[in-house]
Amino acid sequence: MRFIRDLTLAALASLAVILALEAGLRLARDRYEASFYQPDWERGYALRPNAEGWDVMESEVYIRVNSGGLRDRERIVPRPRQTLRVAALGSSEAAAFEVPLEETFEAEIERNLAPLIARRGNHVEVLNFGVPGYSLSQQYLTLKNYVWKYDPQIVVLVWNQYNLLRNTEETNPDGPQAPFYVLRDGRLAPADPAFRMPSLRTFSQRNIAIRGRLADWMNDSYLLSMLRKANVELQNQINGLSATLRRHFGPAPTAPSRRPRDYLQWWPYLPDLPDMQENWKIGEAFLREMKQDCDRHGAELELVIVDEDMQSHPNAAVRKAFMRLKGLASLDASDERLEQISEANGIPVLALAPLLGEYASAHGVALHGIGANNEGHWNKLGNQLAGQMIAGQLRVHSPTVQAWSAGSR
Amino acid sequence: MSFTDFSFLVFIAAIAILCRLCPRQSRSLLLLGASYLFYLTWSARGAVLLAVVTGLTFAAGMGIERARKSQTHAWLTPLAIILLAGYLLAFKIALLGPSRGIAGLVMPLGISYTTFKLISYVLDVHWGKMDASMRLADFAAYVAFFPQILAGPIQRPGDYFSQLPPVPARTADALPRIAWGLVKKLLIADNLAPAVNYVYAHLTALHGAPLWVGFYLFPLQMYADFSGLTDIAIGTGRLFGITGPENFNRPFTATSIGDFWRRWHMSLTNWLADYVFMPLRMATRTAGNLGLAFSISVNMIAIGLWHGLTWSYLAFGVVHSLYLTVDAFTSRARAKFFKRRRKWDSAASWMGWLLTFHLVTIGLVFFRAAHISDALWLLGHLFSGLGASGALFWALVESAGARTLAIGLAGYAVLELGERYRPDLWLGRISQGQRGVRWSVWGGVTVLLIFALALLLAHSGTPRSPFLYEIY
């Protein structure tokens, strides 16, 4: 009996310390990255429906995932009447975790198109299908299997050139998180039809749901979020240590890795690089398949090429110095190649780099990241300008938008 | 490998386990191996140089002992001291050059600390305070003892050797000290650092309020950083059965400059008092007050220049030698004055504390500033445009981060309260009580330790400020 009493006392004391630490972290607003993802049988991973918490990677933003698994407000399935729907598809730029929902470029497109089509009670919705880190294969599968139930009339594909690297296993910098596709007889085919994320091999759908609820619960606690971050860092430390040991004591690699070193610094996706020819071909095939899919569903496909932070750096001297350092004749070579591919496939395209670069230079403002060094994803102004430019493109080039604004719908 | 790296915690855990597993007589060898392994993570060339200097000093120690006993070869001690001082001086001078000379090629880690350890060994053997070490492994482990290599404390050889073969302390006595050091560094010093760095990086563009922020915050940052480093060193040493000397005793509660130096960087102050000040004072005792002033000045300037051969460190030493000289010359008169006016006593201790803190803070401006002109700018513009410096102040707060600053300041308040009320002592007393209370205390402490470890891990991906004293 006394043993139980002492044990209870010790448990209560420990609990009091835990609560005090939770309160301390909240008071100090010491926030850690929440978990927004869950394993996905088809795409590797996806946003977890109803997940919410803080994203602290670049700025501190409270993120809410809706019940449909989109970083968006609740949307009705299928499309309500008198509604023009645009689906924004892409990776981190489209998800725009760096700004609150009302400051994303999707919200800006809505604001810009709304007055055009507001007659007779029509309204516009721009749905955010962006998921950070998504490769073209994951975006393709999202379009094919998840977008059409929302019945959008326009699909805006927000293209980040780095995604080309994720087209093949050899150049993919992020490990096995997504299914790969290869070209067979000029058509896309899954490289591994039985693709499963490593974590999915041991978890059933029920376990995924339980883990999701656990992750939701952890998101609510600053202390548990911190412990989760500590666990991730511990894994990183262990992986780093084992990599070092392998390097020193393991067998010598049989073939040199094709994975580019410092891939974020060296623009390894440039179209004239020999290693990237296959990646570009697969990228073009994805674009073609997505166009055909949109055609089948009677939707328009618009391509928007995201600017690299260096392309829209406010200081022209910095841009020139970067070009000299990397031996680049132009910062726009990849964008130009993609524009040619799009036009050849009949896809309207908007390259944002020249427009955003011009604005940044003229006003001396950074459109990426926090602070003046212009590094990272679009900030509030970057999202705002991108939204205005995409809305402008749709207004001028989209027959659907023109029809809705002319009042014929 | 820095003390705040997670890999360091793994490293010390592994060595602590090995230390408990291996026979007592082999523990010095284990500590020697661990120390050189630690050293190799910083610099392989530095490790080789340290081994060479250690070997030569070990040989010199044996020679000095023979010379002492046979009263021959009296030149051996001065030669060893000159060579060791020259070795330290050569690297300090090399650091001044733009290419850093030999220091750029091979800069021994913690050279100021290891050299002082070696010098004290030579002098203690010469003066007969201790016998020369006969075991090279023990001696080399003392010199390279890795918990103390980054920033001390400077342990005397007699104190170290008296603890051999090492008997590790209870883990529960060592871990809280390490955790407390990490909290001081990561929670307090690193959160105060952005504001201090901002002020000293933009000195000439600032006036008024932001300069006051830099003026008051640097001593707090410095103390949290340096004493945190010392806490980790002492706690880690205890894990292996070597208790190092204390380095701080609540220095900002000092009521006079003399009192401050009895509480601040005590292992260095005591070292210089024993090996510089006392010999000088003995030699100049016939010169009265002039001899005293001379001895104090040499001692304090040596403290300043020990950090580096720069005008700023020299100014720091000169300022403190002036403070201490005035303190020493007026102590009798002040005592007499307050003896006659007993009512003023409590006011005097308050005034003494306030004055001492500000004098120390002024001295630390010279310590932190890159140039004397920067220090003079800060001190000269504290009051200029004070009323119109609101925008500059808010720019500083925005740059450093209001939350960061608030955490640093709140953390510092916790530090002062913690060191005033010593929860480690009353926790120790409570834990001797009933089983339920004991379990509760250890349950809470375990949760706190896990939290500290997780916090360290969670922040391991973000860049940290290096320890301020790592560079010496």
Side-chain angles (χ1 to χ4, degrees), chain B residues 424-447:
Chain B
D424 53 328
L425 296 184
W426 55 258
L427 274 176
R429 279 198 294 276
I430 288 172
S431 67
Q432 287 159 9
Q434 290 181 342
R435 188 175 67 179
V437 178
R438 220 167 49 231
W439 283 9
S440 302
V441 169
W442 289 121
V445 170
T446 307
V447 170

Side-chain angles (χ1 to χ4, degrees), chain A residues 2-7 9-11 13-15 17-18 21 25 27-32 60 223 226-227 229-231 233-234 237, chain B residues 5-7 10 403 407 434-437 439-445 447-448 450-462:
Chain A
R2 211 171 141 215
F3 176 79
I4 299 289
R5 192 200 67 185
D6 291 347
L7 203 62
L9 199 63
S14 305
L15 185 67
V17 175
I18 288 169
L21 291 173
L25 286 174
L27 208 61
R29 288 192 289 155
D30 193 12
R31 293 169 181 144
Y32 296 86
E60 292 194 0
L223 186 61
M226 189 271 278
L227 289 175
K229 175 83 184 339
N231 182 43
E233 290 296 338
L234 180 64
Q237 299 265 359
Chain B
D5 288 348
F6 180 71
S7 51
V10 175
R403 192 179 69 187
I407 292 172
Q434 290 181 342
R435 188 175 67 179
V437 178
W439 283 9
S440 302
V441 169
W442 289 121
V445 170
V447 170
L448 277 175
I450 293 170
F451 173 77
L453 192 67
L455 198 64
L456 184 67
L457 258 174
H459 287 275
S460 60
T462 46

Side-chain angles (χ1 to χ4, degrees), chain A residues 82-355:
Chain A
Q82 293 188 293
T83 302
L84 170 65
R85 260 191 176 166
V86 180
L89 198 62
S91 53
S92 45
E93 293 75 18
F97 276 21
E98 295 71 33
V99 290
L101 188 60
E102 61 278 10
E103 291 173 7
T104 58
F105 74 85
E106 288 94 344
E108 188 65 27
I109 297 174
E110 274 185 3
R111 275 193 292 275
N112 277 261
L113 292 184
L116 281 179
I117 60 157
R119 292 173 214 177
R120 295 198 298 257
N122 291 343
H123 61 278
V124 62
E125 288 182 352
V126 182
L127 277 61
N128 182 346
F129 284 91
V131 178
Y134 255 22
S135 65
L136 282 170
S137 68
Q138 289 163 309
Q139 293 171 36
Y140 165 68
L141 290 168
T142 302
L143 177 67
K144 206 169 117 187
N145 300 327
Y146 298 88
V147 168
W148 299 121
K149 66 179 176 187
Y150 289 92
D151 191 21
Q153 296 99 320
I154 300 169
V155 174
V156 173
L157 177 60
V158 182
W159 180 288
N160 180 333
Q161 300 282 21
Y162 279 118
N163 277 330
L164 286 165
L165 291 173
R166 297 188 173 115
N167 282 353
T168 67
E169 202 163 358
E170 290 81 4
T171 57
N172 174 39
D174 300 327
Q177 296 190 6
F180 291 104
Y181 278 69
V182 291
L183 286 173
R184 288 199 190 109
D185 304 325
R187 287 192 66 83
L188 281 175
D192 173 14
F195 167 79
R196 289 282 180 272
M197 279 266 285
S199 59
L200 276 171
R201 290 178 195 141
T202 50
F203 285 96
S204 67
Q205 196 66 47
R206 188 164 170 272
N207 283 340
I208 290 169
I210 293 169
R211 273 161 39 118
R213 274 200 291 277
L214 189 67
D216 288 339
W217 184 59
M218 289 179 88
N219 284 355
D220 288 339
S221 160
Y222 279 43
L223 186 61
L224 293 176
S225 298
M226 189 271 278
L227 289 175
R228 179 169 49 206
K229 175 83 184 339
N231 182 43
V232 170
E233 290 296 338
L234 180 64
Q235 295 301 322
N236 290 343
Q237 299 265 359
I238 292 168
N239 292 343
L241 186 66
S242 58
T244 308
L245 291 174
R246 267 201 309 277
R247 206 166 46 247
H248 289 298
F249 304 110
T254 48
S257 167
R258 282 181 62 204
R259 188 168 296 174
R261 197 165 52 88
D262 299 335
Y263 78 102
L264 283 174
Q265 304 299 322
W266 288 96
W267 291 28
Y269 51 74
L270 292 172
D272 51 350
L273 293 176
D275 269 8
M276 292 303 293
Q277 298 310 307
E278 187 69 8
N279 298 54
W280 274 93
K281 280 181 195 157
I282 294 173
E284 185 177 355
F286 273 126
L287 205 52
R288 227 172 17 239
E289 291 280 348
M290 287 196 218
K291 167 72 173 150
Q292 285 166 7
D293 205 20
C294 287
D295 289 347
R296 272 196 295 277
H297 288 87
E300 287 175 26
L301 178 65
E302 298 273 346
L303 181 69
V304 173
I305 309 171
V306 173
D307 59 314
E308 288 303 333
D309 39 20
M310 188 50 71
Q311 285 176 297
S312 58
H313 197 286
N315 189 338
V318 173
R319 293 204 294 260
K320 278 191 184 137
F322 179 82
M323 284 165 63
R324 263 201 312 277
L325 187 69
K326 310 295 178 199
L328 301 173
S330 159
L331 291 177
D332 302 324
S334 296
D335 293 4
E336 285 161 7
R337 164 83 180 268
L338 191 57
E339 282 177 291
Q340 288 165 7
I341 292 171
S342 299
E343 280 157 14
N345 286 283
I347 303 167
V349 58
L350 170 67
L352 288 172
L355 301 169

Side-chain angles (χ1 to χ4, degrees), chain A residues 35-40 44-49 197 205 208-209 211-212:
Chain A
S35 153
F36 302 109
Y37 306 100
Q38 67 176 14
D40 185 275
Y45 69 97
L47 290 176
R48 194 173 67 252
M197 279 266 285
Q205 196 66 47
I208 290 169
R211 273 161 39 118

Side-chain angles (χ1 to χ4, degrees), chain B residues 48-118:
Chain B
V48 172
L49 191 58
L50 180 69
V52 171
V53 175
T54 302
L56 290 174
T57 310
F58 178 76
M62 289 204 287
I64 289 165
E65 180 161 285
R66 270 200 299 275
R68 174 164 54 89
K69 285 177 181 164
S70 61
Q71 308 226 324
T72 55
H73 299 98
W75 49 269
L76 203 49
T77 305
L79 178 69
I81 298 296
I82 288 168
L83 286 177
L84 285 170
Y87 162 72
L88 176 61
L89 214 58
F91 279 99
K92 293 275 178 189
I93 291 170
L95 278 175
L96 299 176
S99 63
R100 293 159 51 96
I102 189 172
L105 194 67
V106 46
M107 181 64 199
L109 182 66
I111 185 172
S112 308
Y113 292 96
T114 49
T115 313
F116 270 36
K117 277 180 163 184
L118 292 168

